[in-house]
Amino acid sequence: MYKGYITDINGIKVGHAQNFEAGTGLTVLIPPANNTCAVEVRGSAPGTRETDLLDPINTVNSVNAIILSGGSAYGLDAASGVMEALEADGYGLDVGVGIVPIVPQAVLFDLAYKNSKIRPDKNMGKEAYNNASLNENCQGIIGAGTGATVGKILGMENIMKAGLGSATLTEGDLKVSALAAVNAFGDIYDYEKGIQIAGPIKDGKMIKTNNTMRNIMKDFSSLANKNTTIGIVATNASFDKTKLKKIAQMTHDGFARSINPVHTGFDGDTVFALATNEVKADINLVGVMAADVMSRAIANAIYSLNEIHNQENYI
């Protein structure tokens, strides 16, 4: 694993900001000009901002930034800081009397991890924007992955830590990359190896969420809306919003391969698809690569923890 990062796509910057003690943070992606962007939401408990703009029937084609954030709906406040920073730098949609930066966002629920009273806010948004770099390549407990956890079916005392993962695949001049903040209700699998790599812990052993649901669970109300995997797939290929919408849909196959169960009523699973429009490529090829690279990014969100921190210190 660890093959590539979403900044492998020319012109893409990524910045992080986080509060390790509180267990929350955010990640901002700043694309080059003349990009196109779409989104696909498959989970039933999403927290999002400005996603309606990305519908193919609507006017706006390009975005100025995309935010992946902790903090549940409170974390949407971070976009105000990113917008102000973009405005100050002169980036946004010209509306005649000024500019309005276009900043879609998706959030995950990490309030139950450490300190629920501290969430990504306007200042943290500005910090992440100012930290953005063309060379960013950090994974694990960073940015939107700071408070991410998985395997919550037996409660927070039996979870495993997750984080932020990224990966890149190439085919000639074509590049397809993914970035994912993994905070799933379900278990995490390394699709390429066919093995479970994260999930709930019982009696010191990792178990399967599906089996637990069948065998012992009667009431899931305490788990509602406390999860969500959010991600971005980016390519240097040229696509309009309609085709990117299809690519975002196909990218969710990567979620389904690597998270089980996925797209539940407890998750707000959301994928943004971004094109920098530099090379020509077939939509089917890019969609297949997008699903594969998202699977790898999700696995890297687990594998990267061993290189950055001792996991037990963050549970």
Side-chain angles (χ1 to χ4, degrees), residues 23 26 29 36 39 86-87 99 102 112 124 249 272 275 278:
L26 69 93
L29 181 149
T36 45
V39 68
L86 284 162
E87 181 186 24
I99 57 172
I102 306 301
M124 193 179 284
Q249 291 175 347
F272 295 98
E278 294 182 300

Side-chain angles (χ1 to χ4, degrees), residues 52-129:
D52 283 352
L53 283 174
L54 304 182
D55 190 297
I57 69 171
N58 292 333
T59 302
V60 172
N61 291 309
S62 297
V63 299
N64 298 111
I66 302 172
I67 300 173
L68 305 180
S69 171
S72 189
Y74 292 107
L76 294 172
D77 183 43
S80 296
V82 175
M83 285 187 70
E84 285 189 3
L86 284 162
E87 181 186 24
D89 286 342
Y91 297 111
L93 178 68
D94 187 347
V95 292
V97 294
I99 57 172
V100 178
I102 306 301
V103 184
Q105 180 177 1
V107 300
L108 55 80
F109 186 99
D110 56 9
L111 300 180
Y113 177 48
K114 286 190 175 181
N115 187 340
S116 64
K117 300 301 182 182
I118 297 177
R119 310 110 177 191
D121 57 13
K122 181 177 178 179
N123 291 332
M124 193 179 284
K126 285 185 177 180
E127 181 183 352
Y129 177 86

Side-chain angles (χ1 to χ4, degrees), residues 1 77 137 177 231 263 298:
M1 292 295 179
D77 183 43
N137 62 1
S177 299
H263 302 146
I298 290 168

Side-chain angles (χ1 to χ4, degrees), residues 9 19 25 28-29 40-41 51 65 89 99 114 137 150 162 178 185-186 189 191 221 243 258 263 274-275 290:
I9 306 295
N19 184 320
V28 59
L29 181 149
E40 175 75 4
V41 179
T51 51
D89 286 342
I99 57 172
K114 286 190 175 181
N137 62 1
V150 297
F185 168 69
Y189 289 79
Y191 170 72
S221 60
K243 291 182 178 178
S258 298
H263 302 146
L274 179 87

